[in-house]
Amino acid sequence: MKQQKQIIVLVVLILVAVGIWGWSFYEPKSGSNGAASTFGQSYERLNFPNPTIRWDVADRRRKAEYKASGVDLFSHEVPPSPGDIKKTQEDQVRLAQEAAARTQQQQVTQSPLELPASMKFFGYGNVPNDSARRAFLEDGDEVYIVNEGDTLMGRYKILKINNASLEFEEVGSGRRGQKTLEDQGPTA
């Protein structure tokens, strides 16, 4: 039953295809009132003054090289003039020089960053099978064990733990400081 339905569908599709193919070769008679016959009869030539191809202009355009002007073709903004560009560059240089002078002045006027006076850096070490170095600090009865990259007391970021010193940075201002290892010596 299923194969019989498939054969019926195939025959119908073949008949539709033959009908479409035959329709493509159909031409209405000239005496009919169809739109196809009036289309050909109402044709008028376009009014071009000189329809010949100008080969010299085509060759010149084909051989032309594109030179970019640095303008975004898809932007509605007017490009800046060369004078404006030069002024902008001069302003940027001036602002960079002023910023460098301010930074240098701030570095001279700022005192070096220190950890609280009561805090002592008394040692460092490594955990077996771990490459991270840890520093040991004490502030009165509080002992802090920090890794490189950790934040101490929510204010100081530990940058580097060396054999003889601890480098840190104040989180808010970006100022840097260093605390040396305090040798407590042997206790008696």
Side-chain angles (χ1 to χ4, degrees), residues 28-175:
K29 296 182 180 179
S30 61
S32 69
N33 292 333
S37 64
T38 59
F39 175 73
Q41 293 172 356
S42 65
Y43 171 74
E44 290 181 20
R45 229 179 141 182
L46 295 176
N47 188 16
F48 278 137
N50 186 4
T52 60
I53 296 174
R54 300 267 323 263
W55 293 108
D56 57 333
V57 174
D59 287 339
R60 187 178 38 187
R61 289 185 180 165
R62 193 178 310 126
K63 293 176 182 174
E65 289 185 33
Y66 174 74
K67 294 179 182 169
S69 63
V71 176
D72 183 8
L73 299 176
F74 302 102
S75 174
H76 294 287
E77 297 177 12
V78 177
S81 67
D84 291 342
I85 292 172
K86 185 176 181 182
K87 184 178 182 223
T88 303
Q89 290 172 345
E90 290 172 355
D91 289 345
Q92 289 175 346
V93 168
R94 182 181 47 81
L95 290 173
Q97 290 172 345
E98 289 174 1
R102 270 183 278 149
T103 304
Q104 186 178 16
Q105 184 180 9
Q106 287 175 353
Q107 289 174 349
V108 169
T109 58
Q110 289 179 350
S111 61
L113 182 63
E114 295 288 331
L115 288 175
S118 60
M119 185 160 296
K120 295 179 179 156
F121 173 41
F122 66 89
Y124 61 90
N126 288 14
V127 175
N129 299 328
D130 189 12
S131 62
R133 212 169 212 200
R134 297 201 167 114
F136 305 106
L137 299 125
E138 71 173 337
D139 186 13
D141 292 337
E142 287 287 323
V143 175
Y144 299 97
I145 301 172
V146 291
N147 292 331
E148 291 178 352
D150 286 351
T151 303
L152 175 66
M153 298 174 18
R155 183 174 171 193
Y156 305 103
K157 182 178 179 181
I158 307 301
L159 300 174
K160 184 82 174 154
I161 302 170
N162 298 316
N163 292 342
S165 64
L166 173 72
E167 296 176 21
F168 57 93
E169 176 182 64
E170 190 173 33
V171 174
S173 67
R175 294 186 324 166

